[in-house]
Amino acid sequence: RGTGGSSCCLDELDHKSLTEDAGSAFEFLRSQTEIDSQRAGILGHSEGGIIALRVADDRKDVSFLVVMGTPFQAGQETLQYQLRLNLKGLGVSEDGQDKLLTFANKAIQSPSFAPSLEESNQHMTELIGLLSEPDRQLVTNNGLLAFVTMLALPEVRRIARHPGINIKSLSVPLLAVYGAADRRVDPAANVALVRRSSAIATTTILDGLNHVFRDSETSGLTISPDVLQLITRWLASLVQERPVGEIAPP
């Protein structure tokens, strides 16, 4: 989408359109002579994992799924996780965090929340009145304005309105991988949700890796080799018909 001669813009699409696009790409992959169409699967990262799961739900020819840093929780929970971590990192009090999160939830639930600059400034003034003086100094006026603007972004609203993923009826092998230092998706909560929902899913959390599976301390430029090794070993286990479950990192 939005590349070459294709139409539309990615940030204007909903999950239905993205799923249709991904399904078309998967169909093209299966049509290639060098591909075993009976053993083709999909890998998706973050929101791409949501799309991968939707494609598998729509089709019966997806053989396996690998999702990386994918939120199975409802979007509101994911947004709260992100915002609370960021606010806590700034030193904002729990009371201040709660007030800002309450505002964020109302903004996301409002279908018409697309404030002009003047309206954004009004919201900023409203938030200033809610926060204590120490919290106001930590967040800053510019920070509050950016906070309000962020809540109107199409991609943020699309993910925040995501209802969550139910994989109880999933019939294909699933590998769900998370980085322990992920600040965008709660690794522990999502792994617990996957384990409760599916007996055929394999889950693991990799120490020291962030949402894009790079070292959280060194911010390396490439994905960690540990992730690629993990996925390779899991795919090999499918071929060898080993039992699924929890696998240890390499």
Side-chain angles (χ1 to χ4, degrees):
R1 290 283 184 168
T3 301
S6 63
S7 61
C8 195
C9 302
L10 186 59
D11 61 2
E12 296 177 2
L13 298 177
D14 57 16
H15 281 167
K16 181 177 182 296
S17 298
L18 292 171
T19 300
E20 291 172 354
D21 284 359
S24 296
F26 183 70
E27 186 62 38
F28 175 79
L29 175 70
R30 293 182 70 251
S31 71
Q32 304 305 296
T33 56
E34 66 271 26
I35 297 296
D36 182 349
S37 62
Q38 301 305 309
R39 301 171 74 178
I42 305 176
L43 181 150
H45 172 258
S46 195
E47 187 181 14
I50 297 175
I51 303 306
L53 286 155
R54 288 181 61 126
V55 172
D57 190 51
D58 289 345
R59 307 174 62 103
K60 303 304 178 186
D61 51 8
V62 177
S63 298
F64 63 86
L65 290 166
V66 178
V67 297
M68 304 168 61
T70 292
F72 285 77
Q73 291 181 299
Q76 290 278 53
E77 294 176 286
T78 299
L79 182 63
Q80 287 201 20
Y81 174 76
Q82 295 173 2
L83 294 177
R84 195 173 288 280
L85 271 182
N86 290 334
L87 293 169
K88 186 176 181 180
L90 290 174
V92 176
S93 69
E94 287 194 17
D95 179 66
Q97 294 173 36
D98 290 342
K99 287 175 178 176
L100 289 170
L101 290 177
T102 297
F103 175 87
N105 287 337
K106 290 180 179 178
I108 291 297
Q109 290 169 7
S110 170
S112 59
F113 187 81
S116 63
L117 179 58
E118 180 181 354
E119 291 169 331
S120 294
N121 280 301
Q122 291 173 353
H123 287 307
M124 180 187 70
T125 301
E126 174 189 347
L127 291 173
I128 289 173
L130 293 174
L131 298 176
S132 66
E133 180 60 30
D135 284 344
R136 285 199 298 270
Q137 292 181 3
L138 290 168
V139 178
T140 74
N141 289 2
N142 286 340
L144 289 173
L145 187 59
F147 175 74
V148 171
T149 303
M150 178 270 295
L151 294 173
L153 293 175
E155 59 270 30
V156 172
R157 299 179 68 77
R158 182 178 67 223
I159 295 174
R161 290 178 173 179
H162 167 54
I165 302 172
N166 185 345
I167 58 171
K168 291 183 178 179
S169 60
L170 185 69
S171 59
V172 299
L174 167 69
L175 171 63
V177 188
Y178 296 87
D182 193 330
R183 296 179 62 84
R184 298 188 63 183
V185 174
D186 186 337
N190 281 280
V191 162
L193 182 56
V194 172
R195 290 176 181 172
R196 288 196 304 269
S197 304
S198 174
I200 62 173
T202 300
T203 60
T204 194
I205 299 175
L206 297 174
D207 289 336
L209 299 185
N210 59 22
H211 185 64
V212 292
F213 294 89
R214 297 174 182 172
D215 188 290
S216 60
E217 294 186 2
T218 63
S219 298
L221 298 178
T222 60
I223 187 172
S224 167
D226 290 349
V227 182
L228 303 179
Q229 293 171 17
L230 178 73
I231 294 172
T232 300
R233 289 193 300 119
W234 181 76
L235 290 173
S237 76
L238 295 185
V239 175
Q240 298 168 17
E241 297 183 347
R242 293 176 182 170
V244 298
E246 182 177 1
I247 56 178

